[in-house]
């Protein structure tokens, strides 16, 4: 897993910046009821999306929570007094405290199935009855856009996704959350070029092989041979699922 304290400095620039944040916030808010008066954004990162929730819903109290100091400090600069340093598996809030809870690009990062179950359970716990939980699912699959880069990387070793939609839905059901909607949005500015994919490969971002592994070197050589090394391929398309607490 990446060191998000170190990643915080360049995180936004490397992942689509404001265009991606705008697309994510708009899509999430499609699934959050207008009557929402308190919203918790779990794993808020740098706050680039969280800030848009607050700006779009002036009458809503928006709180962000993140595990890493580097991310939380950047979020706090965007939303002073609204950011809490905490673990998504042990949220420091009362039962039923929020009308809506969101977790964008979180579940796929957790260490294993029990951590995902715990995080979903905590999001459900702090959600009031009738409230809505919104989360991204199938993060890895979102980046498969049918490009020549995807064709090169198709044989790479893969892990079972922790945030598969069916898995998240099952965990949600365990905690009294029923499906309440879905939508998709484009990760604007996140289309990978071969050169960027090679850089990400060497950072160990999206393969189960450590940088320098012979198989990783083979993928690197094939990426280097692709044409238009600096031309971004299509943007990924992310999926959001909403769940309502009974």
């Amino acid at each position: 897993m990446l060191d998000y304290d170190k990643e915080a400095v360049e995180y936004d620039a490397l992942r689509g910046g404001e265009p991606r944040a705008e697309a994510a916030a708009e899509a999430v808010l499609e699934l959050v009821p207008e009557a929402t008066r308190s919203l918790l954004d779990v794993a808020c990162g740098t706050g680039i999306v969280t800030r848009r929730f607050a700006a779009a819903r002036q009458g809503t109290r928006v709180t962000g929570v993140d595990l890493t100091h580097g991310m939380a400090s950047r979020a706090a600069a965007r939303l002073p007094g609204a950011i809490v340093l905490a673990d998504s598996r042990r949220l420091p809030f009362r039962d039923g405290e929020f009308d809506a809870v969101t977790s964008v690009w979180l579940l796929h990062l957790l260490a294993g199935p029990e951590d995902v179950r715990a995080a979903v359970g905590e999001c459900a716990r702090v959600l009031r009855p009738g409230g809505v939980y919104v989360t991204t699912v199938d993060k890895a699959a979102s980046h498969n856009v049918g490009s020549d880069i995807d064709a090169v990387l198709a044989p790479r070793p893969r892990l079972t996704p922790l945030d598969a939609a069916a898995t998240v839905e099952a965990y949600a059901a365990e905690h009294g959350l029923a499906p309440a909607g879905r939508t998709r949005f484009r990760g604007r500015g996140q289309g990978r070029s071969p050169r960027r994919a090679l850089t990400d490969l060497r950072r160990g971002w999206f393969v189960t092989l450590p940088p320098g592994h012979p198989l990783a070197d083979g993928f690197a050589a094939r990426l280097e041979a692709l044409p238009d090394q600096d031309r971004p391929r299509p943007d990924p398309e992310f999926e959001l699922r909403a769940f309502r607490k009974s």
Side-chain angles (χ1 to χ4, degrees), residues 27 29 40 42 62 72 93 95 118 125 130 137 145-146 157 170 191-192 207 244:
L29 291 173
L40 176 66
V42 180
V62 175
F93 304 107
D95 293 0
R125 180 184 64 78
V137 297
V145 296
R192 286 192 176 105
V207 294
R244 189 177 303 279

Side-chain angles (χ1 to χ4, degrees), residues 149-166:
I149 295 172
D150 295 324
V152 165
L153 295 174
R156 72 188 187 272
R158 300 170 189 254
L159 296 173
T160 301
L162 295 172
D163 64 338

Side-chain angles (χ1 to χ4, degrees), residues 195-217:
R195 199 180 310 278
R196 178 178 166 185
L198 178 59
T199 298
D200 292 348
L201 173 71
R202 286 175 171 158
R203 287 160 61 88
W205 274 18
F206 51 79
V207 294
T208 58
L209 304 169
H213 188 285
L215 285 178
D217 287 343

Side-chain angles (χ1 to χ4, degrees), residues 68-154:
T68 63
H69 184 272
M71 290 291 195
S73 62
R74 289 182 173 268
R78 287 172 160 145
L79 285 167
I83 306 300
V84 177
L85 192 66
D87 191 322
S88 63
R89 299 164 300 176
R90 293 180 293 277
L91 295 172
F93 304 107
R94 301 187 307 273
D95 293 0
E97 187 168 342
F98 297 94
D99 296 333
V101 178
T102 62
S103 63
V104 180
W105 301 305
L106 165 66
L107 301 181
H108 70 287
L109 294 173
L110 298 175
E114 289 309 310
D115 289 310
V116 177
R117 177 182 274 113
V120 171
E122 279 292 273
C123 290
R125 180 184 64 78
V126 302
L127 190 64
R128 69 164 176 79
V132 171
Y133 171 50
V134 179
T135 188
T136 41
V137 297
D138 291 317
K139 168 69 163 52
S142 301
H143 288 275
N144 189 345
V145 296
S147 71
D148 52 354
I149 295 172
D150 295 324
V152 165
L153 295 174

